[in-house]
Amino acid sequence: MKPLLTAMREGRLYLDGGMGSMLQEAGLPEGRLPDVWGVENPQAVQAIHRAYLEAGCRLITTNTFGTTAPKVEPYGYTVGEIMAAAVANVRAAMTQAGVQDGYVCADIGPTGKLLRPYGDLDFEEAVARFVAPIRAAEEAGADCILIETMSDLYEMKAAVVAAKENCSLPILASLIFDGSGKLLTGGSPQAAVALLEGLGVDVIGLNCGLGPQEMAPVFRQLWEAASVPLLLQPNAGLPRSEGGKTVYDVTPADYAAQMAELAPMATLLGGCCGTTPAHLAALIQATKDLPLPEVTWKDTLLISSYCQAVALDGHDPVIIGERINPTGKKKLQAALRAGDMDYVLNEAFQQEEAGAHILDVNVGLPGLDEPAVLTQTVEALQAVTGLPLQLDTSNPEAMEAALRRYNGKPLINSVNGKEESLAAILPLVKKYGGGLVCLTLDDDGIPADAEGRLAIAEKIVRRAEAMGIPRRELLIDGLTMPVSAGGENAKVTLETLRRAKAELGVKTALGVSNVSFGLPKREVLNQNFFTMALQAGLDGAIINPKSGAMLGAYHAYRALMGLDEQCGAYMAAFQEGGPLAGTTAPAAPAAPAPAPQPAAAPAVGEEGTLQHSVCKGLKEAAAAQAKALAEGGRDILDIINGELVPALDQVGKGFEQGTLFLPQLLMSAEAAKGAFQVLQGYLPAGESQGEPQILLATVQGDIHDIGKNIVKVLLESYRFRVLDLGKDVPPETIVAAARERQIPLVGLSALMTTTAPAMAETIRQLRAAGLECKVVVGGAVITGDYAASIGADRYAPDAMATVHYAQEVLGG
């Protein structure tokens, strides 16, 4: 049989459909883990596999969505036993169906946990959880690893790293986006492509959560950004409850018709929740004669964070903020030595507000543990800002430590032509992905002419491509030398830049301000050299974005070159409140001033205030400022109602309007909680205590508690008292707790299709018990119509909606 990747190049292949919904039809008991039930009822699972094979599917997914040690060991099984049995079930079904050209996809689902700093699962712990099922899959004879239904790019990265380090199988990576086109943690399709292509996955795709029509806009964005084959597995529409059962409304014929419109972009097609063998048979019949997509190579370099991607397309330059670098900055040096992350974070906020697209991060100081401090700084920055980062270090150990923990695809600064540097850095880029800044120097130093620097650049390009690092990932740095040390220095740098673009077809980067070292009025030289470099083709400008002269030159260049539609960014920069407001021309030096938030974004208060710290997610600063206000004699309730709650409301509004994402919302909530914990010590005894007001639980059979935990954090930050019953909670336990504690509001969560009926049963029992509590529900498989059909009082599409409903029910 042909290897899977070879078969994919020769024709479209079809995955199977909704295993969870099919298992329910086959008799999966409510609350039972499907993976375990499949081992104990192999004939039932084999019959499902066989039905999909007979429909024409040839990529059959193992029944192992929840196969990790914490999930299966309570049932008395090991991960290896579950995976081996699941692979054997697929092989048996293939034999029964007489199929000899089928492939076994080892299914790897999410842990159900949110990773730190937003949740409680460490990145390396997440990697470790994925190792066992991935190793077991290869040992059992699976043909590929399918990592699916991932709503967080950081968890996806952990799973892919585990797969790359522990097996040799092809990797298919599939994500679940919501109706707004974002992941749970705010990631965009472009950010997903940047990360996953950087990590070297073989296929990128979408599954679950939405039907074909709702999924189409996100899938088209993947198609426009990706340079690898795509996978598509929508639901059969959105779920509803009918007679106590979860049903889906898109018929096989409608599913096939809707998928046919998207099929020209997909190499692998299949289905998720609610898609039966009949759906897949109709899909195959409607699309089997369509030509295979021609996967095109995209030359744009995408650099990403957890939520957004920055495109370096070779035409429109980007600003890389240079201020988080201790060279010549005594206050930053002191902050790094003292572990004062708030100082570093405020520097990041100022650069972001001034207009930086990427932030350079350098913590190199004598005596510091650079691997530890760089990783700590990167994690702290990524907790509060969505800007991508440039990891700037000459220490390979520090580079690897930060790269591994980085949530996205960073810029890497840098590699040079020395053999030692090439041998250390290129393997890291190949493993983790990243745009690579390439310095044109080698063991003989920095060549005096452009010819010599170009030769080094060409050497680096050849070595990178030989290792499988595409040319689009490289930015050649022609090295900015002070004109005070040589009158030809600027000319040589600019010639190197121009020729690298023209002759090597690469992108370019420069640290601009070094050109003026040792001379007066440095900003005048810097600004003019910057403009010349932009005209020569500079793509990544490492500058101080708080400099009015440099920012003015940037906006002027973009306006004059037709890169700024209707000069919108230029006008915004100079209008009242903009970063260059008050200057008479772009060339005029201006005092650094932060730009306003986008029109829909919330105000965040003055820097150094409690409200600002909460809005920015600065937990330590918020606690210290709350203490100072309390000890200064301000009324405690006034601090809470006048500082904390308005700040949370501002951040919540930004989240609802799409200007802030879940991680920023959570960090703000944690900062508010930290401040409130300080203030509790100043409240009269008993004033902050009381019986629980809200009961939260993930329903029976479901051990994915991401959504519930997010809701808990936000509710507690608003001072609601929460009783958290945890995950996999039987209806009887919820009813007993609600009755005993006289809970007025119950919140229920479910991620999996197979556990949605348990939510309905829980609500039925609450009503049958005569309890007057209100019930709010949410989760990836829940919709407003489904919530109404099972008797819930309110459907919460996100965590803030639950907060608003709690305020409505309980006041506050």
Side-chain angles (χ1 to χ4, degrees):
M1 190 173 72
K2 299 172 184 175
L4 175 59
L5 297 182
T6 300
M8 283 170 46
R9 289 190 288 269
E10 297 177 359
R12 182 176 285 103
L13 297 176
Y14 295 89
L15 291 134
D16 50 9
M19 174 59 75
S21 46
M22 290 292 289
L23 287 171
Q24 287 177 315
E25 290 291 325
L28 172 70
E30 203 170 280
R32 190 68 169 170
L33 187 69
D35 315 48
V36 171
W37 190 79
V39 172
E40 297 169 346
N41 298 270
Q43 293 82 7
V45 174
Q46 290 170 23
I48 294 171
H49 292 324
R50 188 168 65 251
Y52 282 115
L53 288 162
E54 291 169 351
C57 302
R58 289 298 178 264
L59 272 70
I60 304 300
T61 307
T62 58
N63 178 33
T64 54
F65 181 79
T67 300
T68 60
K71 297 179 184 180
V72 304
E73 287 180 353
Y75 292 91
Y77 291 93
T78 67
V79 167
E81 289 170 340
I82 298 288
M83 184 62 75
V87 172
N89 279 337
V90 177
R91 293 294 183 199
M94 289 178 178
T95 299
Q96 295 162 15
V99 170
Q100 297 181 344
D101 59 347
Y103 299 90
V104 179
C105 298
D107 192 37
I108 306 294
T111 64
K113 294 285 186 180
L114 202 58
L115 273 63
R116 291 176 184 157
Y118 319 117
D120 56 6
L121 185 64
D122 182 74
F123 177 80
E124 292 299 344
E125 291 175 3
V127 173
R129 288 196 185 188
F130 292 119
V131 167
I134 287 168
R135 285 181 176 172
E138 186 164 39
E139 290 170 3
D143 297 299
C144 67
I145 302 295
L146 172 61
I147 304 167
E148 61 144 314
T149 322
M150 289 287 180
S151 59
D152 174 20
L153 287 179
Y154 206 26
E155 185 177 21
M156 175 63 89
K157 177 174 180 175
V160 173
V161 168
K164 299 288 285 187
E165 293 180 341
N166 291 278
C167 79
S168 58
L169 300 177
I171 300 172
L172 286 55
S174 186
L175 296 151
I176 174 171
F177 283 79
D178 63 22
S180 70
K182 299 291 184 184
L183 297 171
L184 174 69
T185 47
S188 68
Q190 295 77 15
V193 169
L195 172 70
L196 294 172
E197 288 193 356
L199 290 171
V201 304
D202 298 289
V203 176
I204 299 173
L206 305 178
N207 77 287
C208 203
L210 302 170
Q213 291 181 329
E214 296 84 4
M215 200 174 277
V218 175
F219 193 64
R220 291 192 176 96
Q221 290 184 62
L222 284 187
W223 171 253
E224 291 168 0
S227 299
V228 298
L230 299 184
L231 168 160
L232 182 62
Q233 289 185 284
N235 290 351
L238 302 176
R240 60 182 175 85
S241 180
E242 187 176 280
K245 296 176 62 177
T246 303
V247 297
Y248 293 81
D249 286 334
V250 176
T251 66
D254 288 342
Y255 188 79
Q258 293 170 19
M259 289 288 280
E261 297 181 12
L262 302 174
M265 298 178 283
T267 299
L268 303 180
L269 286 174
C272 204
C273 302
T275 54
T276 65
H279 285 82
L280 271 297
L283 168 65
I284 293 169
Q285 182 62 33
T287 60
K288 61 185 176 62
D289 295 327
L290 294 176
L292 192 66
E294 183 178 345
V295 179
T296 58
W297 180 256
K298 314 301 191 301
D299 196 47
T300 297
L301 167 58
L302 293 176
I303 300 301
S304 69
S305 65
Y306 71 87
C307 66
Q308 64 176 290
V310 171
L312 289 94
D313 60 7
H315 303 288
D316 198 350
V318 303
I319 295 173
I320 304 169
E322 68 180 7
R323 297 295 299 169
I324 306 176
N325 186 321
T327 304
K329 302 181 184 71
K330 292 183 179 180
K331 289 184 179 179
L332 179 57
Q333 292 174 10
L336 290 171
R337 293 193 187 282
D340 180 5
M341 279 295 117
D342 283 352
Y343 182 90
V344 177
L345 298 182
N346 277 314
E347 187 64 64
F349 296 146
Q350 292 172 20
Q351 292 185 91
E352 181 175 13
E353 290 162 356
H357 305 108
I358 298 170
L359 299 177
D360 182 78
V361 186
N362 184 310
V363 300
L365 279 175
L368 277 189
D369 181 351
E370 192 172 355
V373 175
L374 181 60
T375 302
Q376 176 194 7
T377 305
V378 165
E379 290 179 336
L381 285 164
Q382 291 207 289
V384 297
T385 177
L387 288 189
L389 304 180
Q390 174 171 271
L391 308 181
D392 186 356
T393 177
S394 59
N395 182 329
E397 182 185 355
M399 183 65 79
E400 179 164 23
L403 265 176
R404 187 174 180 87
R405 291 270 182 166
Y406 183 79
N407 191 354
K409 178 187 173 188
L411 271 178
I412 297 169
N413 191 7
S414 56
V415 73
N416 60 56
K418 297 179 181 180
E419 190 60 38
E420 179 183 18
S421 177
L422 293 166
I425 301 302
L426 292 183
L428 297 180
V429 179
K430 176 62 177 175
K431 180 175 182 178
Y432 295 108
L436 180 59
V437 177
C438 308
L439 306 183
T440 51
L441 61 88
D442 59 14
D443 292 307
D444 295 324
I446 302 173
D449 57 16
E451 194 70 36
R453 297 183 196 183
L454 205 65
I456 295 172
E458 188 173 5
K459 172 187 175 181
I460 296 172
V461 170
R462 288 199 309 268
R463 289 288 294 274
E465 289 186 324
M467 190 165 281
I469 300 169
R471 192 172 296 221
R472 74 171 180 193
E473 306 292 302
L474 308 179
L475 296 96
I476 299 300
D477 187 333
L479 298 175
T480 304
M481 306 298 291
V483 291
S484 59
E488 299 294 308
N489 281 346
K491 292 170 60 178
V492 169
T493 298
L494 295 173
E495 183 184 351
T496 304
L497 191 155
R498 279 191 295 267
R499 292 184 60 185
K501 294 272 286 190
E503 297 174 24
L504 299 180
V506 293
K507 298 169 185 68
T508 59
L510 281 179
V512 174
S513 61
N514 198 43
V515 73
S516 63
F517 184 77
L519 294 172
K521 300 290 184 181
R522 293 188 63 184
E523 200 166 53
V524 175
L525 279 171
N526 290 345
Q527 183 194 36
N528 283 277
F529 178 66
F530 181 30
T531 300
M532 296 168 72
L534 290 170
Q535 291 173 325
L538 178 60
D539 297 298
I542 305 172
I543 65 169
N544 175 9
K546 298 192 292 182
S547 163
M550 300 299 275
L551 200 59
Y554 173 77
H555 286 299
Y557 171 80
R558 293 189 72 250
L560 292 168
M561 295 300 293
L563 299 170
D564 181 4
E565 187 174 354
Q566 297 183 332
C567 300
Y570 179 90
M571 290 189 291
F574 285 92
Q575 70 185 6
E576 183 177 353
L580 300 176
T583 60
T584 57
Q597 295 282 343
V604 296
E606 294 294 327
E607 186 175 325
T609 65
L610 176 56
Q611 192 170 357
H612 178 272
S613 294
V614 171
C615 286
K616 290 298 189 180
L618 302 177
K619 187 173 182 179
E620 292 182 7
Q625 288 154 355
K627 182 178 181 180
L629 288 172
E631 293 185 347
R634 186 168 171 182
D635 180 75
I636 303 304
L637 292 180
D638 183 50
I639 298 172
I640 293 170
N641 295 321
E643 296 278 350
L644 297 183
V645 173
L648 287 170
D649 287 343
Q650 289 169 2
V651 174
K653 186 179 296 183
F655 173 74
E656 291 169 338
Q657 295 173 339
T659 59
L660 296 175
F661 301 113
L662 179 63
Q664 294 159 300
L665 180 67
L666 289 176
M667 296 310 294
S668 292
E670 289 289 354
K673 282 177 62 180
F676 179 65
Q677 287 168 1
V678 170
L679 296 174
Q680 279 183 311
Y682 297 88
L683 286 170
E687 188 166 331
S688 62
Q689 304 301 315
E691 285 297 309
Q693 302 163 293
I694 304 169
L695 182 155
L696 296 179
T698 301
V699 298
Q700 186 172 26
D702 203 324
I703 61 172
H704 301 85
D705 59 359
I706 289 178
K708 172 185 66 64
N709 291 344
I710 292 168
V711 169
K712 179 183 177 182
V713 169
L714 291 181
L715 287 170
E716 290 181 339
S717 72
Y718 274 86
R719 299 183 66 210
F720 289 109
R721 298 185 297 277
V722 177
L723 173 62
D724 182 1
L725 295 186
K727 58 197 176 187
D728 190 16
V729 185
E732 297 79 10
T733 302
I734 295 171
V735 171
R739 179 190 292 114
E740 178 184 350
R741 308 298 285 270
Q742 298 184 336
I743 299 290
L745 178 60
V746 172
L748 303 176
S749 174
L751 172 76
M752 301 189 299
T753 303
T754 53
T755 60
M759 180 179 283
E761 175 61 17
T762 301
I763 295 175
R764 188 194 69 76
Q765 291 194 26
L766 285 168
R767 304 307 188 210
L771 299 178
E772 296 182 358
C773 59
K774 298 292 186 180
V775 180
V776 57
V777 300
V781 297
I782 308 302
T783 66
D785 289 343
Y786 185 85
S789 70
I790 62 175
D793 296 291
R794 184 66 59 89
Y795 163 64
D798 56 52
M800 280 306 300
T802 306
V803 172
H804 294 325
Y805 188 56
Q807 292 171 325
E808 180 182 323
V809 172
L810 303 170

